Amino acid sequence: MMNKKRAGKLIKNLSGISEYYSFRPSPLPPEPAIAIDNELNNLIIDAHKMLAILDDRAEKIPDMNLFISMYVKKEALLSSQIEGTQATLEDIFEVNRDESINEDVEEVVNYVKAANYAIDRLNTLPLCNRLLLETHEILLSGVRGNEKNPGEFRRSQNWIGSKNSNITTARYIPPNIDDMKEALSDLEKFINDDSPYDALINAALVHYQFESIHPFLDGNGRIGRLLIVLYLLYKDTIKTPALYLSYYLKEHRIEYYDRMTTVRDSGNYEQWIKFFVRGVYISSKSAIESADKLIELKNSDEEKINSLDISDRRKINIMKLYRHLLAKPIIDIKGAAEELDLAYNTVKSIVDTLMDLDILKQDNDQERNKVFSYEAYLDILREGTEIIL
């Protein structure tokens, strides 16, 4: 049943010494149809169960929007790290980020902005090429790659290979411009039409197809991984963007690329789909464990604050700063005072109290410009974000 042309075929471009072959992907869904065996069926069932539990956890968290924003930041960091970005979780929350920002951190910050924009845009626009273009413009504006036409599909041939590769030595050459335009149109139709397959199978197919089309000069990997969450939200498979699949894809980075290559080389979509759905299950399980730890930590620390024998007004102010830490787990006194509209000395006193409760710790040894972090909170979020050298 399987053959190389199932996923697409090579197309000759130009002639003579300039000749090269680009890949023209077959439109989705694949023909012959996806073979759903017991292994894949069980993977899908288990993944959906985990996604339902994750949605339930996210919705039960009192400060859901704050927690979701943390998940989006973590996914942004992980997805950017897959592309080689050398940034850490601490970099993203750096107090003086505006003064000390570097290109790697700026890329992650842009991803967060792009992801939040795209998720919100789904309320007013279908998941379509226009939405991807708008999101891409935010992703690349003002950062490395901003000379590569942010918000525009490519108008020239690109390729994938080592840093010094060219079109004749490339590992993979995506479709030429005409084939790219047709493939993007077909993909948009597939996303918005009814499909005979489960949404997780479709999400795997959509991500693979987008990466094979490679429609941008830069940012394809990050947009393609964001497209997974956008698709699952769009199809109501998940209710909140609390899934960070890039954690799994980063851990299995070589296999991730190899399995997509195998689809193009042999037409075997099934092995890629199983890898992908297994990743959804593992990523959901990891996110649930993180959510449970965050909820437990929050309840424990709020209990510490509520048990203090102090005035109600002071307790309200302490809780105000504590809630601020859920959005910004690294702070300085001056910045927190300005953002919370509290007096400097009030915030300083609250910070001292939170340090006595082992909620905050000082990050630096300076007498001035002291920086404090909610370390236990960061420890939970930090898992999986270590830089792989």
Side-chain angles (χ1 to χ4, degrees):
M1 287 177 63
M2 217 141 354
N3 60 73
K4 291 187 176 182
K5 292 184 179 179
R6 188 186 188 205
K9 60 183 179 180
L10 294 176
I11 301 299
K12 180 181 174 182
N13 298 271
L14 305 179
S15 59
I17 60 172
S18 301
E19 179 182 300
Y20 70 91
Y21 286 81
S22 59
F23 184 77
R24 177 193 289 166
S26 300
L28 299 175
E31 291 291 342
I34 298 296
I36 303 175
D37 58 16
N38 287 336
E39 181 188 9
L40 178 54
N41 192 53
N42 289 334
L43 282 170
I44 290 170
I45 291 170
D46 290 343
H48 275 294
K49 285 179 182 176
M50 279 296 168
L51 287 172
I53 295 170
L54 179 56
D55 266 338
D56 181 66
R57 288 290 194 285
E59 290 191 324
K60 285 184 177 177
I61 296 172
D63 297 286
M64 184 180 73
N65 290 335
L66 291 177
F67 279 94
I68 294 302
S69 74
M70 293 298 107
Y71 282 92
V72 171
K73 287 182 175 69
K74 183 166 182 176
E75 171 64 17
L77 178 60
L78 290 164
S79 188
S80 299
Q81 285 179 346
I82 291 174
E83 304 299 318
T85 298
Q86 302 291 297
T88 66
L89 195 70
E90 287 80 3
D91 291 331
I92 309 308
F93 293 113
E94 169 62 46
V95 171
N96 299 312
R97 194 182 69 213
D98 290 342
E99 291 81 13
S100 62
I101 197 163
N102 61 51
E103 287 181 326
D104 284 346
V105 177
E106 205 166 0
E107 283 183 0
V108 181
V109 172
N110 264 26
Y111 188 109
V112 174
K113 292 176 184 176
N116 286 327
Y117 174 85
I119 291 165
D120 184 62
R121 193 73 165 105
L122 282 178
N123 294 317
T124 56
L125 196 68
L127 185 50
C128 59
N129 290 331
R130 178 182 166 190
L131 187 147
L132 296 180
L133 289 170
E134 292 176 3
T135 304
H136 184 261
E137 183 173 13
I138 296 170
L139 180 73
L140 288 192
S141 291
V143 298
R144 206 163 28 199
N146 68 343
E147 76 284 358
K148 295 182 177 178
N149 304 332
E152 295 181 28
F153 291 129
R154 58 183 169 89
R155 297 188 296 274
S156 59
Q157 183 68 65
N158 58 355
W159 60 85
I160 298 172
S162 62
K163 189 174 183 181
N164 297 319
S165 67
N166 55 47
I167 201 164
T168 60
T169 60
R171 290 197 310 272
Y172 172 65
I173 304 176
N176 60 42
I177 302 305
D178 289 338
D179 290 342
M180 179 201 75
K181 290 177 180 177
E182 185 175 350
L184 281 170
S185 177
D186 289 338
L187 179 58
E188 186 177 63
K189 289 173 186 173
F190 177 77
I191 288 172
N192 288 280
D193 285 350
D194 292 331
S195 167
Y197 300 117
D198 182 88
L200 294 180
I201 292 179
N202 290 334
L205 293 173
V206 166
H207 179 68
Y208 156 78
Q209 193 80 343
F210 180 86
E211 295 303 332
S212 293
I213 297 169
H214 237 62
F216 297 113
L217 291 179
D218 193 19
N220 292 287
R222 286 166 289 170
I223 293 292
R225 286 184 288 276
L226 177 57
L227 183 55
I228 296 168
V229 174
L230 295 177
Y231 181 84
L232 294 176
L233 286 168
Y234 186 53
K235 296 298 181 179
D236 294 324
T237 305
I238 58 176
K239 296 176 184 175
T240 57
L243 176 70
Y244 41 89
L245 192 62
S246 291
Y247 173 74
Y248 172 81
L249 298 178
K250 178 191 170 189
E251 292 293 300
H252 302 85
R253 181 162 35 181
I254 295 174
E255 185 180 2
Y256 167 40
Y257 293 133
D258 284 350
R259 285 187 177 273
M260 285 196 288
T261 298
T262 297
V263 179
R264 291 188 286 264
D265 288 346
S266 69
N268 188 344
Y269 288 90
E270 285 78 4
Q271 54 80 33
W272 157 251
I273 293 169
K274 288 177 182 178
F275 170 80
F276 178 91
V277 177
R278 189 176 292 111
V280 172
Y281 172 84
I282 291 171
S283 301
S284 301
K285 189 171 183 291
S286 173
I288 290 164
E289 290 169 357
S290 293
D292 286 343
K293 290 176 184 176
L294 290 170
I295 293 169
E296 183 180 356
L297 177 67
K298 180 175 179 295
N299 290 341
S300 171
D301 287 344
E302 286 187 344
E303 190 175 326
K304 289 180 185 178
I305 294 168
N306 286 322
S307 66
L308 292 170
D309 186 17
I310 54 177
S311 68
D312 288 344
R313 181 177 178 182
R314 177 163 170 75
K315 193 173 290 186
I316 288 170
N317 283 337
I318 292 176
M319 197 62 77
K320 190 175 182 180
L321 178 59
Y322 176 74
R323 295 270 165 79
H324 180 69
L325 291 173
L326 298 178
K328 289 192 172 182
I330 300 176
I331 62 167
D332 64 352
I333 294 173
K334 181 182 176 184
E338 290 174 354
E339 291 185 50
L340 296 174
D341 196 24
L342 293 173
Y344 179 93
N345 288 336
T346 300
V347 173
K348 183 179 183 303
S349 174
I350 294 171
V351 166
D352 289 341
T353 300
L354 292 178
M355 288 182 69
D356 290 340
L357 293 174
D358 290 326
I359 293 174
L360 275 179
K361 73 167 226 178
Q362 186 174 338
D363 271 2
N364 55 14
D365 297 325
Q366 299 175 18
E367 279 303 311
R368 302 181 65 184
N369 302 319
K370 294 179 181 178
V371 175
F372 306 88
S373 67
Y374 190 4
E375 192 60 27
Y377 187 76
L378 284 168
D379 276 343
I380 296 169
L381 291 169
R382 196 179 283 123
E383 184 183 356
T385 65
E386 300 83 3
I387 295 174
I388 299 174
L389 298 176

